[in-house]
């Protein structure tokens, strides 16, 4: 599966501007790299996160779904749609929508671990389900930003046969090294591919650290970035996942009977 990750400078509280930018970046990614799957960062409609959610959160996710579905169909690509601020069920959610090449919504994932240091839990409701689905016959997992820190959560995805973990993020300085270390660790310990796609740029409160990176199941970098807006692409050879697991049989050798 050829994957392009869009590391983007998300405009604060301006969904229209962000949709325009994403249209251009997806067109550019398709023309330059011809990926099968494109992934976007966390909260790309409004950034992380404005205090007047009622003005800009996407009502039931309708605008986002119609926008991403059209792009997926137009370019015949899968889109793992990062995440957006959504108003639904009487609350706000940090929701990730994913689409197949026909533009069909295949999965919606509500961020489970809300980032309490930024009071995300006081504004948003949390989800309660794993983000797992299939694209082109490949088992995909999605975990949003802070979810990455929760090793048990990510391990559950590996145990459910996830082959590629996508991590859309709005991860700020001064924790760039933490972001990179956790992405790499999750790839090595779970022996799957990890695609971390972060934001860049600033809000009044935060400066996002970029360094979106695609890791193979050994934790080797297939594509990396700095702190500029850019598209990074890698071709993931999924047979590597089997080879790595045959060589070092972590899933054969683990002792869940003792992990209580
Ligand atoms: N958007 C987030 O969830 C931020 C997470 C973060 O900065 C951290 O875990 O550190």
């Amino acid at each position: 599966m050829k994957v392009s990750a869009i590391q983007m400078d998300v405009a604060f509280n301006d969904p229209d501007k962000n949709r325009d930018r994403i249209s251009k970046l997806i067109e550019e990614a398709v023309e330059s790299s011809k990926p099968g799957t494109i992934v976007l960062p966390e909260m790309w409609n409004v950034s992380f996160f404005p205090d007047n959610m009622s003005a800009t959160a996407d009502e039931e996710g309708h605008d986002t779904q119609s926008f991403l579905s059209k792009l997926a169909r137009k370019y015949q690509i899968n889109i793992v749609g990062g995440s957006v601020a959504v108003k639904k069920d009487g609350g706000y959610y940090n929701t990730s929508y994913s689409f197949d090449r026909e533009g069909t919504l295949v999965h919606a994932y509500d961020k489970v671990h809300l980032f309490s240091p930024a009071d995300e839990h006081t504004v948003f409701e949390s989800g309660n389900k794993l983000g797992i689905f299939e694209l082109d016959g490949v088992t995909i997992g999605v975990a949003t930003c802070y979810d990455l820190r929760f090793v048990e959560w990510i391990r559950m995805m590996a145990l459910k046969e996830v082959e590629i973990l996508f991590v859309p993020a709005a991860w700020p300085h001064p924790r760039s090294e933490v972001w990179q270390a956790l992405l790499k660790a999750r790839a090595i310990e779970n022996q799957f591919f990890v695609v971390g796609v972060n934001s860049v740029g600033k809000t009044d409160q935060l400066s996002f650290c970029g360094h979106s990176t695609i890791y193979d199941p050994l934790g080797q970098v297939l594509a990396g970035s700095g702190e500029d807006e850019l598209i990074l692409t890698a071709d993931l050879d999924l047979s590597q996942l089997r080879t790595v697991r045959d060589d070092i049989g972590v899933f054969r050798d683990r002792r869940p009977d003792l992990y209580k």
Side-chain angles (χ1 to χ4, degrees):
M1 181 180 269
K2 194 171 191 187
V3 173
S4 286
I6 294 188
Q7 172 165 293
M8 179 179 160
D9 186 349
V10 177
F12 195 68
N13 214 6
D14 195 341
D16 289 339
K17 186 168 176 189
N18 288 319
R19 275 192 290 270
D20 281 355
R21 187 75 194 125
I22 282 180
S23 294
K24 290 192 179 79
L25 288 166
I26 288 185
E27 184 181 9
E28 200 179 312
V30 169
E31 279 173 9
S32 61
S33 311
K34 301 189 176 32
T37 301
I38 286 186
V39 56
L40 305 174
E42 182 185 21
M43 293 279 270
W44 62 258
N45 60 341
V46 293
S47 189
F48 190 83
F49 53 84
D51 54 14
N52 61 339
M53 234 4 104
S54 60
T56 44
D58 187 1
E59 196 77 40
E60 302 290 335
H62 287 324
D63 288 351
T64 304
Q65 289 178 36
S66 122
F67 170 69
L68 292 181
S69 168
K70 276 185 199 134
L71 287 169
R73 204 166 47 244
K74 175 173 176 187
Y75 296 114
Q76 294 284 293
I77 46 164
N78 306 304
I79 298 181
V80 177
S83 78
V84 287
V86 169
K87 185 176 185 192
K88 61 181 178 185
D89 305 332
Y92 300 109
Y93 288 81
N94 185 336
T95 303
S96 177
Y97 296 112
S98 294
F99 298 83
D100 67 14
R101 294 169 188 266
E102 279 77 52
T104 306
L105 175 67
V106 293
H107 194 77
Y109 167 70
D110 296 321
K111 184 178 184 181
V112 163
H113 303 92
L114 300 177
F115 190 54
S116 57
D119 285 336
E120 189 179 14
H121 64 302
T122 65
V123 176
F124 291 86
E125 309 296 323
S126 78
N128 54 17
K129 291 194 182 74
L130 280 172
I132 300 184
F133 52 96
E134 280 203 8
L135 291 172
D136 293 349
V138 178
T139 307
I140 303 293
V142 65
T144 307
C145 205
Y146 189 44
D147 283 332
L148 178 66
R149 286 185 183 261
F150 296 84
V151 64
E152 305 92 331
W153 190 245
I154 307 297
R155 175 62 107 193
M156 270 167 46
M157 296 198 188
L159 294 174
K160 289 182 184 293
E161 314 293 341
V162 161
E163 295 165 276
I164 307 173
L165 176 69
F166 288 93
V167 189
W171 197 292
H173 287 293
R175 297 184 296 282
S176 176
E177 285 186 15
V178 175
W179 159 247
Q180 293 169 69
L182 291 178
L183 289 170
K184 182 170 180 160
R186 297 296 94 93
I188 295 169
E189 71 202 359
N190 293 299
Q191 300 182 316
F192 55 23
F193 292 89
V194 173
V195 179
V197 53
N198 199 10
S199 317
V200 289
K202 288 186 168 80
T203 66
D204 284 351
Q205 313 276 336
L206 297 171
S207 165
F208 301 108
C209 66
H211 286 280
S212 299
T213 310
I214 304 179
Y215 292 95
D216 76 6
L218 290 170
Q220 297 173 137
V221 174
L222 298 179
S225 64
E227 295 189 24
D228 296 324
E229 194 172 69
L230 56 69
I231 297 158
L232 62 158
T233 301
D235 215 340
L236 314 189
D237 172 7
L238 293 163
S239 69
Q240 193 194 356
L241 200 132
R242 315 284 157 229
T243 319
V244 168
R245 290 181 182 191
D246 284 348
D247 286 353
I248 303 180
V250 164
F251 289 91
R252 281 196 306 272
D253 299 338
R254 61 192 290 275
R255 291 289 310 276
D257 54 318
L258 300 178
Y259 308 156
K260 289 182 178 134

